[in-house]
DNA sequence: TGGAAAAAATGACCAATATCATATTTCAAA
DNA sequence: TTTGAAATATGATATTGGTCATTTTTTCCA
């Protein structure tokens, strides 16, 4: 259970911050940010922002996980990214000055801070390291999305599932993957039924272990060879 | 036919530049860039850079068109983007400091200038407008790629073809689309045969007109309604 | 300008995966 | 602990779109 009061979250001690884009801030900047941020406790399935709305700032995840998705024509979600503690979300649309094209929603209870647009842009102006870090991050994500597109376009659902699980392995680290079958299907880009059948195959092939919702990967090598990496 | 000698291309008169990310440069900066750029004439099907190699700078397209693609496991190309006069290519990987994940290759004869990495980064440091323009551009492209992913994941090939043609309409403007069936298939993410069959359907439905290679869109509305926008 | 090579087109067939229907399990609230 | 709803699972079936084989057309260049 997370601490529901947020008065204890301070930027200077935030574990996520240090390894994030905001790791380069000096003490003054951290203090300034700390004074200007607002922290919130989010329950599971709460949204940070909605597709179509205008960005007012950025969100820093102190604890928890957030799915970033788009809704297709029939309302089916396509998950684009899953963000975890230490990551910032919502800044891409803020820079592009267009409404959000994606929705961000917690996958579990989370502590998330908010920094207003002007405060954040000022920090960027004053801090070349932060600025360059952001440019680098945006560029990396573009490269990742190119891979994502090629995978979607050219690979079978089975291969895409393997690829997605490798991504999830990175996100969940030692923890078992804890996503609904539907979310998983919406990340892979397939029907929930197809996903369930493939999970069964993977289980029978000794690639994963399943405990209802939680999926542990027990044969990484096989996963990599299926994904074709 | 393009002028094969490049001595006539100067940044100050470059038509593409003015509407590009480099439109904000002051006279001094333009002169500096002009002194440090190298221009080249490229034939059709020549590459600017290859997947896996390290970026040394950025390319500015003065005239012509360039396809940006990734090669999937069986060597099949997935086109991610088509860049035209006025666009810069190659800077995304340069920022992320990882090798190119994509290959850039001319679709037709082109005049393209090159600016070295250090020169370009210095220009960026000195010019906040340029810097912010690039951040904005990267963010916009991220948003576009999210759409691309959702389309790939959730739409039929027919819908994706319509969507792709809308993108191409933007690129080719008044000109008819001039791409091989294979390139078109590799942009849509389908087999060449499937693409050819769908083009035939579109022709019979009065959406496009085809003159061997060149495709003109004669019913935009229908295209939009198929793409679901 | 002819001829070879590349590109485009067409047909037949099949596999992958979506869809729809229904059953079973899990979970959380009363 | 029960119970109802949501999530997961399974089966049957339909369909899209990929593959392979072949033909026709276009392009390019010697």
């Amino acid at each position: 259970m997370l601490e529901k009061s947020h008065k204890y979250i301070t930027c200077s001690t935030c574990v996520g911050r240090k390894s994030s884009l905001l790791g380069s801030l000096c003490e003054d900047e951290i203090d300034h940010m700390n004074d200007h941020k607002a922290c919130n406790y989010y329950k599971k399935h709460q949204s940070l922002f909605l597709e179509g709305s205008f960005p007012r700032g950025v969100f820093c995840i102190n604890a928890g996980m957030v799915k970033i998705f788009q809704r297709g024509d029939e309302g089916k979600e396509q998950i684009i990214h899953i963000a975890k503690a230490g990551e910032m979300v919502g800044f891409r649309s803020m820079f592009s000055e267009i409404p959000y094209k994606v929705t961000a929603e917690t996958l579990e209870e989370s502590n998330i801070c908010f920094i207003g647009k002007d405060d954040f842009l000022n920090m960027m102006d004053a801090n070349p390291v932060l600025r360059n870090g952001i440019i680098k991050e945006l560029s990396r994500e573009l490269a990742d999305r190119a891979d994502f597109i090629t995978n979607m376009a050219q690979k079978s659902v089975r291969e895409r599932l393997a690829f997605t699980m490798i991504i999830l392995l990175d996100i969940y680290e030692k923890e078992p993957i804890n996503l609904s079958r539907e979310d998983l299907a919406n990340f892979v880009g397939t029907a929930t039924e197809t996903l369930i059948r493939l999970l069964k195959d993977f289980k029978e092939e000794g690639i994963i272990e399943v405990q209802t919702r939680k999926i542990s990967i027990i044969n990484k090598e096989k996963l990599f060879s299926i994904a074709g990496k």
Side-chain angles (χ1 to χ4, degrees), chain A:
Chain A
M1 261 329 213
L2 291 178
E3 176 59 60
K4 287 192 179 56
S5 158
H6 52 264
K7 65 185 164 190
Y8 298 109
I9 304 176
T10 59
C11 299
S12 58
T13 59
C14 174
V15 183
R17 204 207 83 246
K18 289 165 192 163
S19 57
S20 82
L21 284 170
L22 302 176
S24 68
L25 301 185
C26 70
E27 212 163 308
D28 277 0
E29 290 169 322
I30 293 174
D31 289 344
H32 181 264
M33 185 167 67
N34 200 49
D35 294 342
H36 288 78
K37 76 173 197 304
C39 293
N40 271 302
Y41 166 83
Y42 288 79
K43 285 183 293 192
K44 203 174 176 171
H45 302 312
Q46 272 193 292
S47 26
L48 311 191
F49 53 81
L50 298 172
E51 201 168 337
S53 67
F54 268 93
R56 299 159 172 275
V58 302
F59 297 85
C60 289
I61 307 176
N62 169 73
M65 280 198 184
V66 173
K67 69 172 168 180
I68 311 291
F69 64 90
Q70 244 184 357
R71 242 175 246 289
D73 292 336
E74 280 90 43
K76 187 176 164 68
E77 296 179 4
Q78 177 59 43
I79 298 182
I80 305 291
H81 179 66
I82 292 178
K84 62 175 178 176
E87 278 187 68
M88 288 195 302
V89 300
F91 60 94
R92 296 148 193 86
S93 282
M94 193 181 79
F95 296 136
S96 66
E97 292 173 329
I98 52 176
Y100 286 120
K101 286 230 167 181
V102 294
T103 298
E105 190 183 300
T106 53
L107 285 167
E108 52 186 48
E109 51 169 11
S110 306
N111 285 323
I112 298 171
C113 301
F114 177 84
I115 304 164
K117 181 172 174 171
D118 290 343
D119 282 321
F120 193 77
L121 293 179
N122 287 339
M123 275 167 51
M124 274 182 65
D125 270 341
N127 188 332
V129 177
L130 172 60
R131 211 155 65 205
N132 290 331
I134 282 175
I135 291 177
K136 201 166 170 175
E137 175 65 19
L138 293 171
S139 302
R140 274 175 201 267
E141 285 181 28
L142 272 171
D144 286 346
R145 289 195 188 175
D147 281 346
F148 202 154
I149 289 167
T150 304
N151 274 314
M152 279 293 178
Q154 300 195 356
K155 294 197 172 173
S156 68
V157 177
R158 182 180 158 87
E159 290 167 320
R160 265 152 42 203
L161 174 56
F163 178 82
T164 303
M165 288 198 146
I166 291 167
I167 295 175
L168 289 171
L169 199 55
D170 241 31
I171 295 172
Y172 283 88
E173 294 173 46
K174 304 293 169 200
E175 300 290 310
I177 296 165
N178 185 12
L179 277 178
S180 73
R181 300 291 188 267
E182 196 180 352
D183 278 339
L184 200 44
N186 290 343
F187 204 177
V188 174
T190 188
T192 307
E193 296 93 325
T194 302
L195 178 109
I196 287 169
R197 284 179 242 265
L198 284 170
L199 277 185
K200 197 183 166 194
D201 291 348
F202 278 18
K203 203 166 84 182
E204 283 168 6
E205 293 170 45
I207 299 169
I208 58 172
E209 235 161 34
V210 178
Q211 288 169 34
T212 56
R213 197 166 203 270
K214 293 183 176 170
I215 300 170
S216 310
I217 288 150
I218 55 179
N219 192 339
K220 250 198 242 188
E221 278 64 41
K222 218 161 173 180
L223 215 49
F224 274 86
S225 85
I226 293 171
K229 291 276 148 174

